[in-house]
Amino acid sequence: MGLQIDILNKFLKDNNITLNSTQIEKLFQFEEKVIETNEKFNLTNITTEPDFTIKHIIDSLVGIPHIPEGAKLLDIGTGAGFPSMPIAISRPDLKIEAIDSTEKKIGFVNQSAKELGVSNIKAISIRAEEMPKDNKYDCVVARAVAALPILLELAMPIINVGGLFIAYKATEDELKDSANALKVLNSKVEKTVSLTLPNGDNRCLIIIKKLGETPNKYPRNYSQIKKKPL
Ligand code: SAH
């Protein structure tokens, strides 16, 4: 176990991401913390499989080239801090907030950030659909949280016009069910980026751009969102 350093370095090089040794060390320390804490508290579904570095650290970093410089970024349903903690470690220019409905997970993210000296991330225990709408982000990310039409309803109301939502999905399949949500929420597909992780897993980033204001009635309450997705 431990950070698969050679694989990480190759990934960074192939993707033109430059990290210094302190940043790489912090990624490693964060990985250790997640594994260690998970054994005690069952923090996430994440198991301690041998390719943890690929599935969680590298996978989190695949969004990095698509996040604008200096962006104010939100991670919806961060769990133990994915993808936002590896992003925060790698992109000190970003100002990051990470939310999750589960308090225990938020405590872990904030504690880790403090212990690792990662000062550009703050985790908050709140449901996405309860976020104040006067506080908007340049970019929102989410991995493994909900189906795309649901995510769009949660994310688009709290993004600045012109800003981006990056959904971490395995394929672009869910776009098929998202045409209405995109239209109603005044947004469009900017692009999709399909890639294969070093272990062969498929990853597809679905990148959505907010074109205009979101009608005020969104997001609806969660039971409606789930029962009748847009
Ligand atoms: N993004 C992390 C965790 C995925 S598990 C990862 O990729 O490893 C999904 C997480 O989303 C859970 O921690 C759950 O508590 C959170 N979640 C689900 N719906 C949410 C909502 N509406 N608002 C905030 N958090 C939510």
Side-chain angles (χ1 to χ4, degrees):
M1 184 54 67
L3 194 79
Q4 295 164 294
I5 190 79
D6 296 339
I7 298 173
L8 177 66
N9 279 330
K10 182 173 187 317
F11 167 81
L12 294 173
K13 190 159 171 271
D14 290 349
N15 289 277
N16 287 320
I17 301 171
T18 311
L19 299 186
N20 62 35
S21 54
T22 310
Q23 289 170 308
I24 291 181
E25 178 67 14
K26 284 181 184 180
L27 290 174
F28 169 71
Q29 289 170 335
F30 181 59
E31 170 171 325
E32 295 282 290
K33 261 185 208 306
V34 174
I35 292 170
E36 200 184 286
T37 311
N38 202 34
E39 278 163 8
K40 283 184 270 178
F41 300 118
N42 189 24
L43 197 58
T44 71
N45 294 331
I46 289 170
T47 53
T48 56
E49 70 258 27
D51 52 358
F52 186 102
T53 304
I54 297 170
K55 282 189 179 243
H56 306 298
I57 304 290
I58 290 177
D59 188 37
S60 294
L61 298 180
V62 299
I64 276 194
H66 309 285
I67 303 171
E69 178 77 24
K72 182 174 160 197
L73 180 115
L74 177 72
D75 180 11
I76 293 181
T78 191
F82 299 103
S84 49
M85 185 65 92
I87 292 174
I89 292 170
S90 308
R91 288 282 301 270
D93 59 295
L94 304 174
K95 189 169 180 294
I96 302 181
E97 289 174 15
I99 61 168
D100 201 284
S101 45
T102 309
E103 188 112 27
K104 179 174 82 170
K105 297 177 181 177
I106 290 308
F108 170 79
V109 175
N110 281 327
Q111 184 66 24
S112 301
K114 194 170 151 204
E115 287 173 16
L116 298 178
V118 183
S119 56
N120 60 336
I121 183 168
K122 188 172 117 199
I124 305 151
S125 165
I126 184 172
R127 293 194 62 87
E129 63 276 19
E130 283 158 16
M131 288 286 280
K133 283 193 262 181
D134 54 353
N135 174 29
K136 291 194 168 53
Y137 300 83
D138 306 309
C139 187
V140 172
V141 295
R143 187 185 84 153
V145 176
L148 191 58
I150 294 177
L151 282 177
L152 289 169
E153 184 165 352
L154 298 176
M156 300 323 292
I158 46 175
I159 297 179
N160 288 314
V161 173
L164 299 176
F165 172 50
I166 304 177
Y168 283 61
K169 295 287 180 186
T171 68
E172 51 179 74
D173 276 6
E174 292 176 34
L175 276 176
K176 286 201 297 274
D177 308 318
S178 304
N180 185 55
L182 287 169
K183 195 167 122 208
V184 168
L185 298 166
N186 244 326
S187 47
K188 66 153 194 179
V189 181
E190 176 80 355
K191 60 178 165 183
T192 60
V193 181
S194 294
L195 45 104
T196 309
L197 295 177
N199 63 349
D201 285 359
N202 288 326
R203 170 58 72 209
C204 179
L205 299 175
I206 300 180
I207 305 181
I208 308 292
K209 184 169 190 163
K210 175 155 164 171
L211 300 173
E213 296 297 343
T214 311
N216 230 335
K217 62 177 172 186
Y218 303 112
R220 297 164 294 163
N221 68 49
Y222 202 69
S223 63
Q224 283 176 292
I225 296 176
K226 269 202 98 163
K227 226 187 303 163
K228 275 189 116 218
L230 289 172

